[in-house]
Amino acid sequence: MKKVAVIMGSDSDLPVVKKATDILAEFSVPFEVRVLSAHRTPVEAAEFARSARELGFGVMICAAGMAAHLAGAFAANCSLPIIGIPVKSKYLDGVDALLSTVQMPTGMPVATVAIDGAANAALLSIQMLAIADEDLSRKYDEYRKKATAKVLEKDIAIQKEFAN
């Protein structure tokens, strides 16, 4: 199975990124976590992006706040699917990161999830890898069935609570 690279621009993004790594671990998807900055370590970030396919990665998740050029920097240096997680900051509530991540020029696509949407980034990477992995596809289908069952259980409880 291909690995997922989980890159954050700063270790302060770890609480957000942890939601993605927890889901990847739950699905037994191999992953590596790195701190690489588009601005502070541009050479190292570009080198990692350029070598990702040869290192066995199939998808890259990039989490960054504020200027949030990390996903774009990886897209510029790698042809693997890139999923950007805009991270909320204290200044503009993550809207700056969202716009920086989602507004990519033609030819440099980045799939972008919600602000602090690391869980969906992990699930999207699982869906991508599951295209070529039947086992992972079955695990993801089971996950969806369990999520449906949880909502239906809550629906029954709410209906009972508000029954006339």
Coordinates of all heavy atoms in Angstrom, one line a residue, residues 54-141:
E54 N 9.1 8.2 -5.4 CA 10.1 7.2 -5.3 C 10.2 6.7 -3.8 O 10.6 5.5 -3.6 CB 11.5 7.8 -5.7 CG 11.6 8.0 -7.2 CD 10.9 9.4 -7.6 OE1 10.9 10.3 -6.8 OE2 10.3 9.4 -8.7
L55 N 9.8 7.5 -2.9 CA 9.8 7.1 -1.5 C 8.6 6.2 -1.1 O 8.4 5.8 0.1 CB 9.9 8.3 -0.6 CG 11.3 9.0 -0.6 CD1 11.2 10.3 0.2 CD2 12.4 8.1 -0.1
G56 N 7.7 6.0 -2.1 CA 6.5 5.2 -1.8 C 5.2 5.9 -1.4 O 4.3 5.2 -0.9
F57 N 5.2 7.2 -1.5 CA 4.0 7.9 -1.2 C 3.0 7.9 -2.3 O 3.4 7.9 -3.5 CB 4.3 9.4 -0.8 CG 5.1 9.4 0.5 CD1 6.5 9.6 0.5 CD2 4.5 9.3 1.7 CE1 7.3 9.6 1.6 CE2 5.2 9.4 2.9 CZ 6.6 9.5 2.8
G58 N 1.7 8.0 -2.0 CA 0.7 8.0 -3.0 C -0.2 9.3 -2.9 O -0.8 9.7 -3.9
V59 N -0.2 9.9 -1.7 CA -0.9 11.1 -1.5 C -0.1 12.0 -0.5 O 0.5 11.4 0.4 CB -2.3 10.8 -0.9 CG1 -3.1 12.1 -0.6 CG2 -3.1 9.9 -1.8
M60 N -0.3 13.3 -0.6 CA 0.4 14.2 0.4 C -0.7 15.1 1.0 O -1.5 15.7 0.3 CB 1.5 15.0 -0.3 CG 2.5 14.1 -1.0 SD 3.9 14.9 -1.6 CE 4.9 14.9 -0.2
I61 N -0.7 15.2 2.3 CA -1.5 16.1 3.0 C -0.6 17.2 3.6 O 0.4 16.9 4.2 CB -2.2 15.4 4.2 CG1 -3.2 14.3 3.7 CG2 -3.0 16.4 5.1 CD1 -3.8 13.5 4.8
C62 N -1.0 18.5 3.3 CA -0.2 19.6 3.7 C -1.0 20.6 4.5 O -2.0 21.1 4.1 CB 0.4 20.4 2.5 SG 1.5 19.4 1.5
A63 N -0.6 20.8 5.8 CA -1.4 21.6 6.7 C -0.6 22.9 7.0 O 0.6 22.8 7.4 CB -1.7 20.9 8.0
A64 N -1.2 24.0 6.8 CA -0.5 25.3 7.1 C -1.5 26.4 7.4 O -2.6 26.4 6.8 CB 0.4 25.7 6.0
G65 N -1.1 27.3 8.2 CA -1.9 28.5 8.5 C -1.3 29.7 7.9 O -0.2 29.7 7.3
M66 N -2.0 30.8 8.1 CA -1.6 32.2 7.7 C -1.4 32.2 6.2 O -2.3 31.9 5.4 CB -0.4 32.7 8.5 CG -0.8 32.8 10.0 SD 0.6 33.1 11.1 CE 0.9 34.8 10.6
A67 N -0.2 32.4 5.7 CA 0.1 32.5 4.3 C -0.2 31.2 3.5 O -0.6 31.2 2.4 CB 1.5 33.0 4.0
A68 N 0.0 30.1 4.2 CA -0.4 28.8 3.8 C 0.0 28.4 2.4 O -0.8 27.9 1.6 CB -1.9 28.6 4.0
H69 N 1.3 28.6 2.0 CA 1.7 28.3 0.7 C 2.3 26.8 0.6 O 2.8 26.4 -0.4 CB 2.8 29.2 0.2 CG 2.3 30.6 0.0 ND1 1.4 30.9 -1.0 CD2 2.5 31.7 0.7 CE1 1.1 32.2 -0.9 NE2 1.7 32.7 0.1
L70 N 2.2 26.1 1.7 CA 2.8 24.8 1.7 C 2.2 23.8 0.7 O 3.0 23.2 -0.1 CB 2.6 24.2 3.1 CG 3.4 22.9 3.4 CD1 4.9 23.1 3.3 CD2 3.1 22.4 4.8
A71 N 0.9 23.7 0.6 CA 0.3 22.8 -0.3 C 0.6 23.2 -1.8 O 0.9 22.3 -2.6 CB -1.2 22.8 -0.1
G72 N 0.6 24.5 -2.0 CA 1.0 25.0 -3.4 C 2.5 24.7 -3.7 O 2.8 24.3 -4.8
A73 N 3.3 24.8 -2.7 CA 4.8 24.5 -2.9 C 5.0 23.1 -3.2 O 5.8 22.7 -4.1 CB 5.6 24.9 -1.7
F74 N 4.2 22.2 -2.5 CA 4.3 20.8 -2.8 C 3.7 20.4 -4.2 O 4.3 19.6 -4.9 CB 3.7 19.9 -1.7 CG 4.7 19.6 -0.6 CD1 5.0 20.6 0.3 CD2 5.3 18.4 -0.5 CE1 5.9 20.4 1.3 CE2 6.2 18.1 0.5 CZ 6.5 19.1 1.4
A75 N 2.6 21.1 -4.5 CA 2.0 20.8 -5.9 C 2.9 21.3 -7.0 O 3.0 20.6 -8.0 CB 0.7 21.6 -6.0
A76 N 3.7 22.3 -6.7 CA 4.6 22.8 -7.8 C 5.8 21.8 -8.0 O 6.4 21.9 -9.0 CB 5.2 24.2 -7.3
N77 N 6.1 21.0 -7.0 CA 7.2 20.1 -7.1 C 6.9 18.6 -7.1 O 7.8 17.8 -7.0 CB 8.1 20.4 -5.9 CG 8.9 21.7 -6.0 OD1 9.7 21.8 -6.8 ND2 8.5 22.7 -5.2
C78 N 5.6 18.3 -7.2 CA 5.2 16.9 -7.1 C 4.0 16.7 -7.9 O 3.0 17.5 -7.9 CB 5.0 16.6 -5.6 SG 4.5 14.9 -5.3
S79 N 3.9 15.5 -8.6 CA 2.6 15.2 -9.4 C 1.7 14.3 -8.6 O 0.6 14.0 -9.2 CB 3.0 14.6 -10.7 OG 3.7 13.4 -10.5
L80 N 2.0 14.0 -7.4 CA 1.0 13.2 -6.6 C -0.2 14.1 -6.2 O 0.0 15.3 -6.1 CB 1.7 12.7 -5.3 CG 2.8 11.7 -5.5 CD1 3.5 11.4 -4.2 CD2 2.2 10.4 -6.1
P81 N -1.3 13.5 -5.8 CA -2.4 14.3 -5.3 C -2.0 15.0 -4.0 O -1.4 14.4 -3.1 CB -3.5 13.3 -5.0 CG -3.2 12.1 -5.8 CD -1.7 12.1 -5.9
I82 N -2.3 16.3 -3.9 CA -2.0 17.1 -2.7 C -3.4 17.5 -2.1 O -4.2 18.0 -2.8 CB -1.2 18.4 -3.1 CG1 0.0 18.0 -3.9 CG2 -0.9 19.2 -1.8 CD1 1.1 17.3 -3.2
I83 N -3.5 17.3 -0.8 CA -4.7 17.7 -0.1 C -4.2 18.8 0.9 O -3.3 18.5 1.8 CB -5.3 16.6 0.7 CG1 -5.7 15.4 -0.3 CG2 -6.6 17.1 1.5 CD1 -6.1 14.1 0.4
G84 N -4.8 20.0 0.8 CA -4.4 21.1 1.7 C -5.4 21.2 2.9 O -6.6 21.1 2.7
I85 N -4.8 21.4 4.0 CA -5.6 21.7 5.2 C -5.3 23.2 5.6 O -4.2 23.4 6.1 CB -5.3 20.8 6.4 CG1 -5.4 19.3 6.1 CG2 -6.2 21.2 7.6 CD1 -4.9 18.4 7.1
P86 N -6.2 24.1 5.4 CA -5.9 25.4 6.0 C -6.1 25.4 7.5 O -7.1 24.9 8.0 CB -7.0 26.3 5.3 CG -7.9 25.4 4.5 CD -7.4 24.0 4.7
V87 N -5.1 25.9 8.2 CA -5.2 25.9 9.7 C -5.6 27.3 10.2 O -5.0 28.3 9.8 CB -3.8 25.5 10.2 CG1 -3.8 25.5 11.7 CG2 -3.4 24.1 9.7
K88 N -6.5 27.2 11.1 CA -7.0 28.5 11.7 C -5.9 29.2 12.5 O -5.1 28.5 13.2 CB -8.2 28.1 12.7 CG -8.8 29.3 13.3 CD -10.0 28.9 14.1 CE -10.7 30.1 14.7 NZ -11.9 29.8 15.4
S89 N -5.8 30.5 12.4 CA -4.8 31.2 13.1 C -5.6 32.3 13.9 O -6.8 32.5 13.8 CB -3.8 31.9 12.2 OG -4.4 32.9 11.4
K90 N -4.8 33.0 14.8 CA -5.5 34.0 15.7 C -5.8 35.3 14.9 O -6.6 36.1 15.4 CB -4.6 34.3 16.9 CG -3.3 34.9 16.6 CD -2.5 35.1 17.9 CE -1.1 35.6 17.5 NZ -0.3 35.8 18.7
Y91 N -5.3 35.4 13.7 CA -5.5 36.7 13.1 C -6.8 36.8 12.2 O -7.6 37.6 12.4 CB -4.3 37.1 12.2 CG -3.0 37.2 13.1 CD1 -2.1 36.2 13.0 CD2 -2.9 38.2 14.0 CE1 -0.9 36.3 13.8 CE2 -1.8 38.3 14.8 CZ -0.8 37.3 14.7 OH 0.3 37.4 15.5
L92 N -6.9 35.9 11.3 CA -8.0 36.0 10.3 C -8.9 34.7 10.4 O -9.6 34.4 9.4 CB -7.5 36.2 8.9 CG -6.8 37.6 8.7 CD1 -6.2 37.6 7.3 CD2 -7.8 38.7 8.9
D93 N -8.8 34.0 11.5 CA -9.6 32.8 11.7 C -9.4 31.7 10.6 O -10.3 30.9 10.4 CB -11.1 33.1 11.8 CG -11.4 33.8 13.2 OD1 -10.7 33.5 14.2 OD2 -12.4 34.6 13.2
G94 N -8.3 31.7 9.9 CA -8.0 30.7 9.0 C -8.5 31.0 7.5 O -8.2 30.3 6.6
V95 N -9.2 32.2 7.4 CA -9.7 32.5 6.0 C -8.5 32.8 5.1 O -8.5 32.4 3.9 CB -10.7 33.7 6.1 CG1 -11.1 34.2 4.7 CG2 -11.9 33.3 6.9
D96 N -7.5 33.4 5.6 CA -6.3 33.7 4.8 C -5.7 32.4 4.4 O -5.3 32.2 3.2 CB -5.3 34.5 5.6 CG -4.9 34.0 7.0 OD1 -5.7 33.1 7.5 OD2 -4.0 34.4 7.6
A97 N -5.6 31.4 5.3 CA -5.0 30.1 4.9 C -5.9 29.4 3.9 O -5.4 28.7 2.9 CB -4.8 29.2 6.1
L98 N -7.2 29.5 4.1 CA -8.2 28.9 3.2 C -8.0 29.4 1.7 O -7.9 28.7 0.8 CB -9.6 29.1 3.6 CG -10.7 28.6 2.7 CD1 -10.7 27.1 2.5 CD2 -12.1 29.1 3.2
L99 N -8.0 30.7 1.6 CA -7.8 31.3 0.3 C -6.5 31.0 -0.3 O -6.4 30.7 -1.5 CB -8.0 32.8 0.4 CG -9.5 33.3 0.8 CD1 -9.6 34.8 1.0 CD2 -10.5 32.8 -0.2
S100 N -5.4 31.0 0.5 CA -4.1 30.7 -0.1 C -4.0 29.2 -0.5 O -3.3 28.9 -1.5 CB -3.0 30.9 1.0 OG -2.9 32.2 1.4
T101 N -4.8 28.4 0.1 CA -4.7 26.9 -0.3 C -5.6 26.6 -1.4 O -5.3 25.8 -2.3 CB -5.1 26.1 1.0 OG1 -4.2 26.4 2.1 CG2 -4.9 24.6 0.7
V102 N -6.8 27.2 -1.5 CA -7.8 26.8 -2.5 C -7.6 27.6 -3.8 O -7.9 27.0 -4.9 CB -9.2 27.1 -1.9 CG1 -9.6 28.5 -1.9 CG2 -10.2 26.2 -2.7
Q103 N -7.0 28.7 -3.8 CA -6.9 29.5 -5.0 C -5.6 29.2 -5.8 O -4.7 30.1 -6.0 CB -6.9 31.0 -4.7 CG -8.3 31.5 -4.3 CD -9.3 31.4 -5.4 OE1 -10.2 30.6 -5.3 NE2 -9.1 32.2 -6.4
M104 N -5.5 28.0 -6.3 CA -4.3 27.6 -7.0 C -4.4 27.9 -8.5 O -5.5 27.8 -9.0 CB -4.0 26.1 -6.8 CG -3.6 25.7 -5.3 SD -2.1 26.5 -4.9 CE -1.0 25.8 -6.0
P105 N -3.3 28.2 -9.2 CA -3.4 28.4 -10.6 C -3.7 27.1 -11.4 O -3.3 26.0 -10.9 CB -2.0 29.0 -10.9 CG -1.1 28.5 -9.9 CD -2.0 28.4 -8.6
T106 N -4.2 27.3 -12.6 CA -4.4 26.1 -13.4 C -3.1 25.3 -13.6 O -2.1 25.9 -13.8 CB -4.9 26.6 -14.8 OG1 -6.2 27.3 -14.6 CG2 -5.2 25.5 -15.8
G107 N -3.2 24.0 -13.5 CA -2.1 23.2 -13.7 C -1.4 22.8 -12.4 O -0.6 21.9 -12.3
M108 N -1.8 23.4 -11.3 CA -1.3 23.1 -9.9 C -2.4 22.8 -9.0 O -2.7 23.5 -8.0 CB -0.5 24.3 -9.4 CG 0.8 24.6 -10.2 SD 2.0 23.3 -10.0 CE 2.3 23.0 -11.8
P109 N -3.2 21.7 -9.2 CA -4.4 21.5 -8.4 C -4.0 21.1 -6.9 O -3.0 20.4 -6.7 CB -5.1 20.3 -9.1 CG -4.0 19.6 -9.8 CD -3.0 20.7 -10.2
V110 N -4.8 21.6 -6.0 CA -4.7 21.2 -4.6 C -6.1 20.9 -4.1 O -7.0 21.9 -4.2 CB -4.0 22.3 -3.7 CG1 -4.2 21.9 -2.3 CG2 -2.5 22.4 -4.1
A111 N -6.4 19.7 -3.7 CA -7.7 19.5 -3.1 C -7.7 20.1 -1.7 O -6.7 19.9 -1.0 CB -8.0 18.0 -3.0
T112 N -8.7 20.9 -1.4 CA -8.7 21.7 -0.1 C -9.9 21.3 0.7 O -11.0 21.3 0.2 CB -8.7 23.2 -0.4 OG1 -7.6 23.5 -1.3 CG2 -8.5 24.0 0.9
V113 N -9.6 21.0 2.0 CA -10.7 20.7 2.9 C -11.0 21.9 3.7 O -10.3 23.0 3.6 CB -10.3 19.5 3.8 CG1 -10.2 18.2 2.9 CG2 -9.1 19.7 4.6
A114 N -11.9 21.8 4.6 CA -12.3 23.0 5.5 C -11.2 23.4 6.4 O -10.2 22.7 6.6 CB -13.5 22.6 6.3
I115 N -11.3 24.6 6.9 CA -10.4 25.1 7.9 C -10.3 24.1 9.1 O -11.4 23.7 9.6 CB -10.8 26.5 8.4 CG1 -10.7 27.5 7.2 CG2 -9.9 27.0 9.5 CD1 -11.4 28.8 7.5
D116 N -9.1 23.7 9.4 CA -8.9 22.6 10.4 C -9.5 21.3 10.1 O -9.8 20.5 11.0 CB -9.3 23.1 11.8 CG -8.5 24.2 12.4 OD1 -7.4 24.5 11.8 OD2 -8.8 24.8 13.4
G117 N -9.8 21.0 8.8 CA -10.5 19.8 8.4 C -9.6 18.6 8.2 O -9.7 17.9 7.2
A118 N -8.7 18.3 9.1 CA -7.8 17.2 9.0 C -8.4 15.9 8.9 O -7.9 15.0 8.1 CB -6.8 17.3 10.2
A119 N -9.5 15.7 9.6 CA -10.2 14.4 9.5 C -10.6 14.1 8.0 O -10.4 13.0 7.5 CB -11.4 14.3 10.4
N120 N -11.2 15.1 7.4 CA -11.6 14.9 6.0 C -10.4 14.8 5.1 O -10.5 14.1 4.1 CB -12.6 16.0 5.5 CG -14.0 15.8 5.8 OD1 -14.4 14.7 6.2 ND2 -14.9 16.8 5.7
A121 N -9.3 15.4 5.4 CA -8.1 15.3 4.6 C -7.7 13.8 4.6 O -7.3 13.2 3.6 CB -7.0 16.2 5.0
A122 N -7.7 13.2 5.8 CA -7.3 11.8 5.9 C -8.3 10.9 5.2 O -7.9 10.0 4.5 CB -7.2 11.4 7.4
L123 N -9.6 11.2 5.3 CA -10.6 10.3 4.7 C -10.5 10.5 3.1 O -10.6 9.5 2.4 CB -12.0 10.7 5.2 CG -12.2 10.3 6.6 CD1 -13.5 10.9 7.1 CD2 -12.2 8.8 6.8
L124 N -10.2 11.7 2.7 CA -10.0 11.9 1.2 C -8.8 11.1 0.7 O -8.8 10.5 -0.3 CB -9.9 13.4 0.9 CG -9.8 13.7 -0.6 CD1 -10.9 13.2 -1.4 CD2 -9.8 15.3 -0.7
S125 N -7.7 11.1 1.5 CA -6.5 10.4 1.1 C -6.8 8.9 1.1 O -6.4 8.2 0.2 CB -5.3 10.7 2.0 OG -5.5 10.2 3.3
I126 N -7.6 8.4 2.0 CA -8.0 7.0 2.1 C -8.8 6.7 0.8 O -8.6 5.6 0.2 CB -8.7 6.7 3.4 CG1 -7.7 6.7 4.5 CG2 -9.5 5.4 3.3 CD1 -8.3 6.8 5.9
Q127 N -9.8 7.5 0.5 CA -10.6 7.3 -0.7 C -9.7 7.2 -2.0 O -9.9 6.3 -2.8 CB -11.6 8.4 -0.9 CG -12.8 8.3 0.0 CD -13.7 9.5 -0.2 OE1 -13.3 10.7 -0.2 NE2 -15.0 9.2 -0.4
M128 N -8.7 8.1 -2.1 CA -7.8 8.1 -3.2 C -7.0 6.8 -3.3 O -6.9 6.2 -4.3 CB -6.8 9.3 -3.1 CG -7.5 10.6 -3.4 SD -6.3 11.9 -3.1 CE -7.3 13.3 -3.5
L129 N -6.4 6.4 -2.1 CA -5.7 5.1 -2.1 C -6.6 3.9 -2.3 O -6.1 2.9 -2.9 CB -4.9 5.0 -0.8 CG -3.8 6.0 -0.5 CD1 -3.2 5.8 0.9 CD2 -2.7 6.0 -1.6
A130 N -7.8 4.0 -1.9 CA -8.7 2.9 -2.1 C -9.1 2.6 -3.5 O -9.6 1.5 -3.8 CB -10.0 3.1 -1.2
I131 N -8.9 3.5 -4.4 CA -9.1 3.3 -5.8 C -8.4 2.0 -6.3 O -8.9 1.3 -7.1 CB -8.8 4.5 -6.7 CG1 -9.7 5.7 -6.4 CG2 -8.8 4.2 -8.2 CD1 -9.3 7.0 -6.9
A132 N -7.2 1.8 -5.8 CA -6.4 0.7 -6.2 C -6.2 -0.3 -5.1 O -5.3 -1.2 -5.3 CB -5.0 1.2 -6.7
D133 N -7.0 -0.3 -4.1 CA -6.8 -1.2 -2.9 C -8.1 -1.6 -2.4 O -8.8 -0.9 -1.7 CB -6.0 -0.5 -1.8 CG -5.6 -1.4 -0.7 OD1 -6.4 -2.2 -0.3 OD2 -4.5 -1.2 -0.2
E134 N -8.5 -2.9 -2.8 CA -9.9 -3.4 -2.5 C -10.0 -3.5 -1.0 O -11.1 -3.3 -0.4 CB -10.1 -4.7 -3.1 CG -10.4 -4.6 -4.6 CD -11.7 -3.9 -4.8 OE1 -12.7 -4.0 -4.1 OE2 -11.7 -3.0 -5.8
D135 N -9.0 -3.9 -0.3 CA -9.1 -4.0 1.2 C -9.4 -2.7 1.8 O -10.3 -2.6 2.7 CB -7.7 -4.6 1.7 CG -7.9 -5.8 2.6 OD1 -8.9 -6.4 2.5 OD2 -6.9 -6.0 3.4
L136 N -8.7 -1.7 1.4 CA -8.9 -0.3 2.0 C -10.3 0.2 1.6 O -11.0 0.8 2.4 CB -7.8 0.6 1.5 CG -7.8 2.0 2.1 CD1 -7.6 1.9 3.6 CD2 -6.6 2.8 1.5
S137 N -10.7 -0.2 0.4 CA -12.1 0.2 -0.1 C -13.1 -0.4 0.8 O -14.1 0.3 1.2 CB -12.3 -0.2 -1.5 OG -13.5 0.2 -2.0
R138 N -13.0 -1.7 1.2 CA -13.9 -2.3 2.1 C -13.9 -1.7 3.5 O -15.0 -1.5 4.1 CB -13.6 -3.8 2.2 CG -14.2 -4.7 1.1 CD -14.0 -6.1 1.3 NE -12.7 -6.6 1.3 CZ -12.0 -6.9 0.2 NH1 -12.6 -6.7 -1.0 NH2 -10.8 -7.3 0.2
K139 N -12.7 -1.4 4.0 CA -12.6 -0.7 5.3 C -13.3 0.7 5.2 O -14.0 1.0 6.2 CB -11.2 -0.5 5.7 CG -10.4 -1.7 6.1 CD -9.0 -1.3 6.5 CE -8.2 -2.5 6.9 NZ -6.8 -2.2 7.2
Y140 N -13.2 1.4 4.1 CA -13.8 2.7 4.0 C -15.3 2.6 4.0 O -16.1 3.3 4.6 CB -13.3 3.5 2.8 CG -13.9 4.9 2.8 CD1 -13.5 5.8 3.7 CD2 -14.9 5.2 1.8 CE1 -14.1 7.1 3.6 CE2 -15.4 6.4 1.8 CZ -15.0 7.4 2.7 OH -15.6 8.6 2.7
D141 N -15.8 1.6 3.2 CA -17.3 1.3 3.1 C -17.8 1.0 4.5 O -18.9 1.5 4.9 CB -17.6 0.2 2.1 CG -17.3 0.6 0.7 OD1 -17.3 1.8 0.4 OD2 -17.3 -0.3 -0.2

